[in-house]
Amino acid sequence: MNIAILYGGKSGEHEVSLRSASSVVRRIDRTKHTVILIGIAKDGRWYLQSQKELTRVFADDSAFLRIDENPACLVRIFPGGGSNAALQCAVTLEGKARKTDESCAIQTDIVLPVLHGSYGEDGLVQGLLEMAELPYCGCTALSSALAMDKEQTKKVWMQEGLQVVPFVCIKSADIIQDGSAEQSGGFEKFAVLAEKQFGYPLFVKPACAGSSVGAAKVNSREELEAAVQNAFLWDEKVLIEQCIDAREIECSVTGNAAISASGKTAVTSYTPGEIAPTHGFYDYDAKYTDPDGARLLIPASLTDDELQRVKTIAEKAYRALDCSGLARVDFFIDKKDGTLYLNEINTLPGFTSISMFPKMCEAAGLSYAELIELLLEQGLERFKKRRALKTSFV
C-alpha cells in the first residue's frame, strides 16, 4: 500500500512529531508498503518530501525527519478526491517536476497522521481527510476533538461514572474585561475557588494542549496567576487541578470502539506502565528531551488485580469517547489512599524511541511493526464501514 505519513504540524509539539514520525517510518514494512512523506510546516502548509529524506533517516538511526519547505512541493488536497486524486503535487516522489500532461495525483491508500497537539490531534486534520474521502489511522474527527479538550473529556467520563482529577475550568472570557488584556475580578473568583476546594500546590494546564505544553505546578497565588496567564497563550480555556501526590500510570488501548466487538480490531488494552519522573513532574523535557527525565516501569508495580482494574477502566474511558485506532489513557493513583483517578487521554500519543505507548504494546506481545499494521487495518476497516452508510435518500 501507499502510506502517506503526515508529520510536523502547526503545533507547539511540532518537534515531538518529527521524532515520532522518524520512529514510525523506520518500522513500517517496506517490503509491503511505500512510504510517502508529507511534512506540515509550522505555518500549516503541506509539502511533499523527497524520497531522499527517507533514505537519510534510514541510514542514521539517530536522525530525525526534517521538512523541506520547497514551494514547488506544496501539496493540495481536493474534497471528494479519494485515494486516486485527493492529494496532488506538481512534483513526483523523486522530487522531479511533472510534465504538463501528467497527473499531479499522489496515489494514497491510507494516511497515517503522526501529529501531536493542535491542528493534528484535535480533529481538524481528521475532518479534512474525511472530506477528501481518504482512509486514515486513528480516532475520528469527533472523538479526536472531544479527547483533545480536557474539560469536555472529564465531563463525559464523569457522566459515565468514572473518577477524574477534581478541577476548575477558566475561559478567557471569564477574566478578560471589555476585550482588553486586563484581568477582571474573574481571576480572583476562580483563584479563591481553587484555593478553597483544593489548596496548594495546584496544577495549571491549557485545556486543549498536550505533552505538558503550557503546564505548571504552582505553590502560591502569585505563581498561579503567572501560570494561568502563560496557559492562556496556548488555549482559550485553562484547567486548575487539584495536585494529587500520586503515582503516574499509563495504559495503551487500540480498537474501533463503535464498530468492532470482536477480532483484531476490537477494543484491546495492553500492559500498563508507570512513570517515575526525576523532574518535579512529567513535563515536556522529561517526556522528550531528557533521556534520564523519568524511569519507565513496564509493567507498573501493581498487583495483578490492580493491573486488570487499570486496563478495564482504560477500555471504559476509551469507549466513552467512541475512540478508534489508538489512544493512551493516563491515570493517577493517590499514594495516600490508593484512589485511582483518570487524568487524561491522548489519541495520538508519542511514538518516539522512549515513548510509553509502543513500549506497553510490546510488553504485551505486540511489536512496534505489528502495531503499525494493526493501525492500518483498523483505519481501512473503519473507512469501508463508514462509506457503506447511507448519505442520501435518493
Side-chain angles (χ1 to χ4, degrees):
M1 290 194 299
N2 291 337
I3 305 170
I5 306 292
L6 294 183
Y7 70 101
K10 187 179 177 180
S11 164
E13 299 171 71
H14 180 98
E15 284 72 24
V16 180
S17 173
L18 302 185
R19 293 169 179 259
S20 288
S22 302
S23 295
V24 168
V25 298
R26 289 190 181 100
R27 288 163 176 85
I28 290 177
D29 187 346
R30 299 193 298 280
T31 66
K32 297 168 59 177
H33 308 299
T34 297
V35 176
I36 301 166
L37 292 178
I38 298 178
I40 303 179
K42 291 186 176 182
D43 65 1
R45 295 173 187 264
W46 295 23
Y47 296 92
L48 181 65
Q49 303 299 297
S50 168
Q51 292 293 293
K52 292 179 180 178
E53 181 63 6
L54 274 176
T55 302
R56 183 184 68 82
V57 171
F58 292 151
D60 181 0
D61 287 341
S62 65
F64 299 133
L65 286 169
R66 297 189 290 244
I67 298 176
D68 179 9
E69 300 179 28
N70 182 348
C73 298
L74 277 169
V75 173
R76 294 169 292 171
I77 186 164
F78 289 83
S83 293
N84 294 325
L87 297 178
Q88 299 197 14
C89 184
V91 301
T92 66
L93 296 181
E94 291 73 31
K96 298 179 180 179
R98 297 182 187 271
K99 298 177 182 178
T100 304
D101 59 347
E102 186 179 1
S103 170
C104 292
I106 305 170
Q107 298 291 324
T108 307
D109 295 302
I110 190 167
V111 176
L112 176 51
V114 190
L115 301 164
H116 306 305
S118 303
Y119 300 97
E121 196 172 352
D122 54 6
L124 296 180
V125 163
Q126 290 77 10
L128 182 61
L129 296 174
E130 290 278 0
M131 293 299 294
E133 294 283 335
L134 283 171
Y136 61 92
C137 301
C139 286
T140 63
L142 176 60
S143 55
S144 295
L146 192 56
M148 185 71 175
D149 189 320
K150 297 177 180 64
E151 181 202 18
Q152 297 304 320
T153 293
K154 287 174 182 282
K155 287 182 177 180
V156 171
W157 284 343
M158 291 165 67
Q159 183 68 28
E160 293 292 313
L162 300 173
Q163 191 156 8
V164 303
V165 177
F167 71 101
V168 170
C169 181
I170 311 176
K171 299 176 182 179
S172 60
D174 295 327
I175 64 170
I176 301 298
Q177 190 171 28
D178 299 327
S180 71
E182 292 183 16
Q183 288 189 335
S184 67
F187 171 76
E188 177 77 15
K189 178 182 69 175
F190 286 102
V192 169
L193 179 61
E195 290 167 344
K196 183 177 180 180
Q197 289 189 357
F198 312 138
Y200 290 102
L202 296 165
F203 266 109
V204 177
K205 59 178 72 170
C208 299
S211 295
S212 301
V213 170
K217 182 179 180 180
V218 301
N219 294 283
S220 67
R221 173 69 70 86
E222 182 180 9
E223 291 181 0
L224 175 60
E225 185 170 0
V228 168
Q229 289 178 341
N230 180 63
F232 271 123
L233 298 176
W234 297 94
D235 192 37
E236 297 166 344
K237 293 195 297 184
V238 171
L239 299 188
I240 303 175
E241 294 183 338
Q242 179 180 345
C243 182
I244 299 171
D245 183 18
R247 298 166 62 186
E248 299 188 40
I249 308 297
E250 299 183 347
C251 187
S252 299
V253 184
T254 62
N256 290 339
I259 61 175
S260 299
S262 61
K264 288 180 63 178
T265 58
V267 173
T268 304
S269 55
Y270 300 84
T271 305
E274 182 170 359
I275 304 292
T278 57
H279 295 218
F281 68 99
Y282 197 37
D283 60 6
Y284 183 97
D285 288 337
K287 289 179 179 178
Y288 299 112
T289 63
D290 183 356
D292 300 315
R295 290 184 298 122
L296 310 181
L297 309 175
I298 306 174
S301 300
L302 300 170
T303 66
D304 289 345
D305 286 345
E306 289 171 330
L307 289 170
Q308 185 56 51
R309 183 164 179 251
V310 168
K311 292 176 66 177
T312 298
I313 295 177
E315 291 183 16
K316 288 182 178 179
Y318 187 92
R319 286 193 174 95
L321 301 175
D322 273 344
C323 290
S324 54
L326 74 160
R328 192 193 70 229
V329 183
D330 299 346
F331 297 84
F332 289 145
I333 296 180
D334 194 318
K335 292 180 180 178
K336 296 177 181 178
D337 59 19
T339 301
L340 181 64
Y341 295 93
L342 278 165
N343 179 27
E344 57 187 60
I345 185 169
N346 292 273
T347 56
L348 281 173
F351 266 83
T352 71
S353 59
I354 62 172
S355 294
M356 283 289 277
F357 187 90
K359 286 182 175 292
M360 290 186 287
C361 293
E362 287 176 342
L366 184 69
S367 71
Y368 200 134
E370 291 170 332
L371 170 60
I372 292 173
E373 289 295 324
L374 176 61
L375 297 179
L376 295 171
E377 182 178 338
Q378 290 176 159
L380 290 170
E381 177 197 53
R382 185 188 61 224
F383 180 80
K384 181 179 179 181
K385 290 191 175 183
R386 286 172 68 91
R387 290 308 177 272
L389 299 174
K390 293 185 66 174
T391 58
S392 173
F393 286 105
V394 180

